[in-house]
Amino acid sequence: MEDALNDFAATQKAISDALVSTIRAAAAIAAEDVPFHRSSDPSKIGPLIEKSTSRILRLTEQLVSRARPSKQTSRPLSLSDVEDIDICWEQVVDVADALLERTDTCLDEYTGLIKSKDIANGFQNSTRTGIAHKVPFRDAVIPKPQLQFETKPDNNASTPFRPLLTSKPHSRGPFDQSFSTVPTGEGDHDHQHPYETEIREYQFPPATYTKASPIDYEPFEMTTATFVDTIEGVELMLEELKKSKEIAIDLEHHDSHSYIGLVSLMQISTRDQDWIIDTLKPWRWRLEMLNEVLADPSVLKVLHGAQMDIIWLQRDLGLYIVGLFDTYHASRVLGYPRGSLAFLLETFTGFEAQKQYQTADWRIRPLPEAMFEYARSDTHFLLYVYDCMRNELVEKSNFNEVTQDRISEVLARSKETALQRYEHSFYTDDMKLSRNGWFSTLLSRFDPNMSQLQISVFAKVHRWRDEVARHEDESLHYIMPNHILFNIAQSVPEDETSIRSLLPKATSILQARLHELLLVIAKAKNEADQAPTLQDVLARSPSHVQKEGLWELERARASKVENKPLASMESVYSKLKPCSKAQWSEFWGPSLDDGLISKKDVRVSNRMPRLVVPLSAHILRSSGSSSNSQIDVSSSAFGEIDPHWAHIEEQSTVSGMRKRKLNESESDNTAQVGSTLTKMEMPRDHQSPEAIASVRRRAEKKAAKRARHEPGSAPESSPDGGGAGAFDYEKAPSVLNSRRTVSQLQRVSRASFDPFAKATEAPAGLKKSKPSKVGKSQTSK
């Protein structure tokens, strides 16, 4: 074996050196100006580049076609030039990633990092190979411990979760009232939190608000933990816990080979002792007796990141925590750069936690020594960390100011964490953003090019996967990962061969149900016309998904992704939630009313946002204007003009590049009704009668002032002599090439061009210096 490893090391080094040299050569070529070198010697360098490019493209085609883990399209990959690499970049990267993953797995198996016999025995010595592994003890092949539970988990519950309590220590009310139901807001009812009253009324002990020297922890190397795997051991531990005022708690969870998950270990530490409780015993339900300490408000419970721990304790063990201090919330309140437990341990104790065991399979029994020590380290130092963070919170708090009381802020956040309730996981076929519905999974990798057939296949296969996982008591990702689910929906396989090509690492459960999966896909194809369309998905999606999907609909229409043409954009916009519209614009004035636009006259051929600003006032002419100056909008897409805008009239228009003065009839009409209001004069509270009256008074004053300064003045004529009518652009003379009159030419003075005029403006040279006199220097003056 040692010789084989030595030969492998030499081979690995040779391959690594070859890869390094290849990568360096590729980087060097990329840094050069290849087109320049090609043009400098086209007869010699050009053919070599073309030959190398063609060879690399052919190798890439063969690599993708033979090693592709999933077929995105039915036809093979074709790379004719370099631009095709950019188009098919995602497929090439997927193949490269899959090959690297397979290579990594094979290397681990060959070097001994993955050995089924070592995992089955619950022990793996990583020092034998000298190679560090990333996730040791992962996915052990062992019998499911939940099959031996006296109270087995219910994966197909149809009623709300009822707390597992058979008694309620430290209760402040009758036991029966702890199981009353509360409405959920969707017509259903759930049981309330049994300790809700006790948690909300809880206050930290006075010692929490006082700064004190941290109590040193026992040396980690000189101590050990007590492994509790009997009921008698639990009772002895409980008596010791009742003597403490602070305890630290942590859990280890397994969620790969269980539908709802399993609490596999529970760690509890006091100031001088550590315990590790085996929570996979058949009598695990009897651990409910720990509520005598966990629900005791006189004992402070210190946890880190307890959001999921609270849920798991309720679901599996019927345990509830009153008096929680979450060090994660404390780290956020104090503004630490990171909030992980590993960061806190290294900061306050210098201990480096081996976090690679965090995702290990904690069902392994007997527990390997490395995993045992890792589990103990999570709580061994936690009370000392709490002391240090408490002192810092006290230093930075001002208890006279509510906003500066950091201790109370941590208490409030910890209460909200402790008040979480576990709820059964129900599958939802509707288009709702629920944790177990197909709709939420679809939006996680939103693809605006999905057809109605692909959405139907995705929803049916997603539902089938959930049913199989519940029946086999396996996790959803173990049955079928999400990326495989999306590949099946995109490819819509029709036979067993094509579906096997999409499942490179299918589990034995999935392999045995391939025929059943094909029937589900066939049913989805037959019922595709009843499935939601892409427009339906967008209408029910969050705003960020709507935004992405709307911009892609026209591209989907052009590429004809769906079998039938997409509905018009107008139908999509009609299903979406209307955007909020401002009532006033700083530039345009009040916004248009929705009634101004007639939906039946709108012709949408492209992306058209809703019109939220008013049109220019010279377009919406008032009824009092002359017939020549009115704009006919009856045939436009906007229908009839709202009377609210009928009084708005433009005071000036383009006429010979000058402002047009109001004619006599318009001036009289303005003075009488005061309707000459510009957009900028309209107040914000334009619906107020007092504001309207004020604007009218200002308009009357302006009209009177204009009449005083221009008595009897007549409006200028239009270029065609038609009076003060609307400006006729067709009959107007040219502005750019117009002929000047004699008077205009006389006003223009043209000086003769002198090319040497600037020469006289040159700077003068230095003056001629005077000759010095003999016998006398300049300094002797």
Side-chain angles (χ1 to χ4, degrees):
M1 182 64 183
E2 184 176 357
D3 296 338
L5 288 176
N6 293 333
D7 295 341
F8 170 76
T11 305
Q12 185 182 23
K13 185 178 184 304
I15 296 175
S16 178
D17 294 341
L19 288 175
V20 169
S21 61
T22 303
I23 293 174
R24 287 178 178 175
I29 294 175
E32 295 291 337
D33 191 352
V34 177
F36 169 76
H37 292 290
R38 182 200 295 266
S39 61
S40 63
D41 192 358
S43 60
K44 182 178 181 181
I45 300 180
L48 293 177
I49 295 178
E50 294 294 340
K51 182 178 179 180
S52 300
T53 302
S54 178
R55 180 173 178 270
I56 293 174
L57 291 177
R58 299 288 80 77
L59 290 175
T60 306
E61 285 183 359
Q62 297 176 9
L63 180 67
V64 173
S65 61
R66 296 181 182 180
R68 181 165 46 188
S70 60
K71 296 182 180 180
Q72 303 294 337
T73 57
S74 57
R75 60 182 181 180
L77 182 66
S78 177
L79 302 175
S80 58
D81 52 21
V82 179
E83 294 181 355
D84 289 341
I85 291 289
D86 295 334
I87 299 174
C88 306
W89 179 254
E90 184 177 355
Q91 300 182 35
V92 177
V93 171
D94 289 343
V95 170
D97 290 343
L99 289 176
L100 291 176
E101 290 179 0
R102 295 181 188 177
T103 304
D104 190 30
T105 302
C106 294
L107 290 176
D108 289 343
E109 292 177 353
Y110 182 79
T111 55
L113 292 180
I114 300 178
K115 286 190 177 181
S116 58
K117 60 180 181 180
D118 289 342
I119 295 178
N121 295 332
F123 180 76
Q124 184 175 10
N125 186 3
S126 61
T127 60
R128 290 179 300 175
T129 59
I131 304 176
H133 46 276
K134 296 181 179 179
V135 184
F137 311 107
R138 179 73 175 176
D139 293 335
V141 182
I142 58 177
K144 294 183 178 180
Q146 59 265 38
L147 298 178
Q148 307 298 325
F149 292 168
E150 296 178 3
T151 304
K152 295 180 175 55
D154 188 4
N155 298 332
N156 299 287
S158 58
T159 58
F161 175 76
R162 188 181 188 277
L164 304 179
L165 292 176
T166 58
S167 62
K168 187 181 176 183
H170 309 286
S171 176
R172 295 194 177 186
F175 177 72
D176 297 336
Q177 294 182 2
S178 302
F179 298 94
S180 58
T181 58
V182 293
T184 60
E186 300 180 356
D188 299 330
H189 288 77
D190 286 338
H191 291 280
Q192 68 177 9
H193 195 292
Y195 281 91
E196 180 176 358
T197 303
E198 289 78 6
I199 293 175
R200 293 193 182 279
E201 296 179 357
Y202 172 79
Q203 295 295 328
F204 281 149
T208 310
Y209 297 87
T210 305
K211 185 177 179 180
S213 299
I215 301 176
D216 291 334
Y217 50 86
E218 297 291 333
F220 188 78
E221 298 79 6
M222 300 177 60
T223 58
T224 186
T226 302
F227 190 76
V228 181
D229 57 353
T230 62
I231 299 178
E232 293 77 14
V234 175
E235 294 174 347
L236 293 175
M237 179 190 66
L238 182 59
E239 295 300 324
E240 293 294 330
L241 294 177
K242 291 180 180 179
K243 303 175 183 179
S244 302
K245 294 299 180 182
E246 306 98 0
I247 61 174
I249 304 172
D250 191 30
L251 300 178
E252 302 299 340
H253 190 264
H254 176 80
D255 54 8
S256 180
H257 295 283
S258 173
Y259 182 78
I260 63 175
L262 295 172
V263 175
S264 303
L265 281 182
M266 183 177 184
Q267 305 99 278
I268 302 179
S269 295
T270 60
R271 295 288 184 179
D272 52 6
Q273 195 169 357
D274 304 323
W275 291 273
I276 296 180
I277 303 100
D278 187 358
T279 57
L280 295 180
K281 292 297 182 179
W283 44 265
R284 66 197 311 242
W285 62 273
R286 298 187 62 178
L287 291 173
E288 181 193 346
M289 68 177 69
L290 295 179
N291 277 327
E292 296 182 15
V293 173
L294 299 186
D296 188 355
S298 63
V299 180
L300 184 68
K301 273 70 68 175
V302 180
L303 287 85
H304 181 84
Q307 182 176 3
M308 296 307 302
D309 295 342
I310 296 295
I311 299 295
W312 296 336
L313 288 173
Q314 297 176 22
R315 181 197 66 197
D316 289 4
L317 308 176
L319 297 176
Y320 295 84
I321 293 182
V322 178
L324 170 66
F325 185 100
D326 195 331
T327 52
Y328 171 78
H329 295 316
S331 66
R332 298 296 87 187
V333 171
L334 292 172
Y336 288 174
R338 289 188 292 169
S340 64
L341 179 59
F343 172 76
L344 297 181
L345 294 180
E346 186 175 1
T347 300
F348 293 106
T349 67
F351 182 83
E352 296 183 5
Q354 303 298 319
K355 282 300 177 181
Q356 68 268 24
Y357 295 102
Q358 189 172 11
T359 57
D361 193 338
W362 290 96
R363 304 173 303 160
I364 298 175
R365 299 295 185 271
L367 203 61
E369 182 180 358
M371 296 174 63
F372 183 88
E373 295 299 323
Y374 165 78
R376 183 169 74 98
S377 66
D378 281 350
T379 57
H380 180 80
F381 306 95
L382 195 54
L383 291 179
Y384 178 82
V385 172
Y386 155 73
D387 291 341
C388 298
M389 301 184 77
R390 176 203 61 205
N391 291 340
E392 190 172 353
L393 288 168
V394 172
E395 290 178 356
K396 296 183 178 182
S397 295
N398 183 2
F399 299 112
N400 296 325
E401 294 289 339
V402 178
T403 58
Q404 300 296 325
D405 189 353
R406 302 184 184 273
I407 294 286
S408 298
E409 186 175 354
V410 175
L411 173 62
R413 296 187 183 187
S414 299
K415 282 184 177 181
E416 293 300 322
T417 301
L419 285 172
Q420 294 182 114
R421 294 182 300 107
Y422 171 73
E423 298 176 0
H424 279 312
S425 179
F426 301 114
Y427 190 86
T428 54
D429 290 308
D430 300 332
M431 298 174 63
K432 296 181 179 179
L433 295 176
S434 59
R435 182 167 60 94
N436 277 349
W438 65 270
F439 188 61
S440 300
T441 308
L442 179 66
L443 295 183
S444 65
R445 292 179 58 181
F446 177 72
D447 183 6
N449 294 326
M450 290 190 72
S451 64
Q452 189 176 13
L453 172 61
Q454 293 172 333
I455 295 176
S456 176
V457 173
F458 183 88
K460 297 294 183 183
V461 175
H462 189 279
R463 176 60 187 260
W464 174 82
R465 181 185 70 165
D466 184 84
E467 294 175 352
V468 173
R470 291 175 186 267
H471 181 268
E472 300 290 342
D473 197 12
E474 297 284 355
S475 65
L476 296 174
H477 295 286
Y478 178 79
I479 297 297
M480 181 185 296
N482 283 339
H483 70 277
I484 298 295
L485 179 61
F486 277 95
N487 290 340
I488 291 176
Q490 292 173 357
S491 302
V492 191
E494 298 181 354
D495 51 32
E496 187 172 341
T497 302
S498 59
I499 200 172
R500 284 184 182 276
S501 65
L502 301 174
L503 305 172
K505 297 180 181 180
T507 60
S508 58
I509 297 176
L510 192 56
Q511 293 285 357
R513 293 175 176 263
L514 287 182
H515 181 69
E516 183 180 344
L517 178 57
L518 287 174
L519 295 178
V520 172
I521 297 175
K523 182 180 179 181
K525 294 171 62 177
N526 296 332
E527 300 177 358
D529 55 343
Q530 304 176 8
T533 61
L534 180 61
Q535 290 86 343
D536 297 331
V537 173
L538 288 176
R540 299 288 187 91
S541 304
S543 58
H544 66 279
V545 180
Q546 289 184 4
K547 180 179 179 181
E548 179 183 356
L550 286 174
W551 298 120
E552 296 290 340
L553 276 181
E554 286 298 316
R555 185 169 65 85
R557 184 203 303 276
S559 59
K560 296 182 180 180
V561 174
E562 296 194 89
N563 297 329
K564 57 183 181 180
L566 293 173
S568 63
M569 292 293 295
E570 180 183 0
S571 63
V572 178
Y573 277 101
S574 62
K575 295 181 181 180
L576 297 179
K577 298 179 180 179
C579 301
S580 59
K581 182 176 66 177
Q583 299 296 328
W584 183 269
S585 171
E586 290 288 344
F587 181 79
W588 294 101
S591 302
L592 285 177
D593 295 332
D594 292 337
L596 184 62
I597 301 177
S598 177
K599 293 183 179 180
K600 64 181 180 181
D601 294 330
V602 176
R603 300 293 183 265
V604 182
S605 61
N606 232 330
R607 296 187 290 270
M608 176 179 176
R610 188 183 296 274
L611 186 63
V612 296
V613 295
L615 299 177
S616 301
H618 70 274
I619 296 179
L620 306 176
R621 307 297 298 174
S622 65
S623 58
S625 303
S626 60
S627 60
N628 294 335
S629 63
Q630 292 180 358
I631 303 299
D632 184 15
V633 294
S634 60
S635 61
S636 66
F638 299 98
E640 299 180 357
I641 303 301
D642 194 320
H644 174 70
W645 295 94
H647 68 280
I648 297 181
E649 183 177 3
E650 191 71 58
Q651 291 183 353
S652 61
T653 184
V654 179
S655 176
M657 302 304 292
R658 289 171 294 180
K659 290 186 177 179
R660 180 182 64 84
K661 300 176 182 179
L662 296 177
N663 56 30
E664 185 177 355
S665 61
E666 292 172 338
S667 179
D668 295 340
N669 186 34
T670 299
Q672 292 176 5
V673 299
S675 62
T676 313
L677 307 177
T678 63
K679 297 184 293 293
M680 299 304 292
E681 291 173 340
M682 183 66 67
R684 294 181 182 272
D685 52 349
H686 57 279
Q687 297 180 355
S688 172
E690 296 80 2
I692 295 177
S694 175
V695 174
R696 287 181 176 177
R697 287 194 298 269
R698 291 198 300 270
E700 292 174 358
K701 290 181 180 180
K702 290 182 179 180
K705 184 177 180 180
R706 188 181 301 109
R708 289 195 302 270
H709 289 288
E710 300 179 5
S713 60
E716 295 182 0
S717 300
S718 60
D720 59 351
F727 185 76
D728 191 351
Y729 289 92
E730 295 181 356
K731 299 180 180 179
S734 174
V735 178
L736 298 177
N737 302 317
S738 61
R739 294 184 178 180
R740 298 185 178 183
T741 62
V742 177
S743 60
Q744 290 176 336
L745 292 175
Q746 291 176 353
R747 289 196 300 266
V748 179
S749 60
R750 287 202 175 191
S752 58
F753 177 70
D754 185 5
F756 303 101
K758 297 294 183 179
T760 58
E761 300 179 2
L766 294 176
K767 295 181 180 181
K768 185 177 180 180
S769 60
K770 295 180 180 181
S772 59
K773 296 181 180 181
V774 180
K776 198 173 186 180
S777 64
Q778 295 290 335
T779 57
S780 62
K781 290 182 179 179

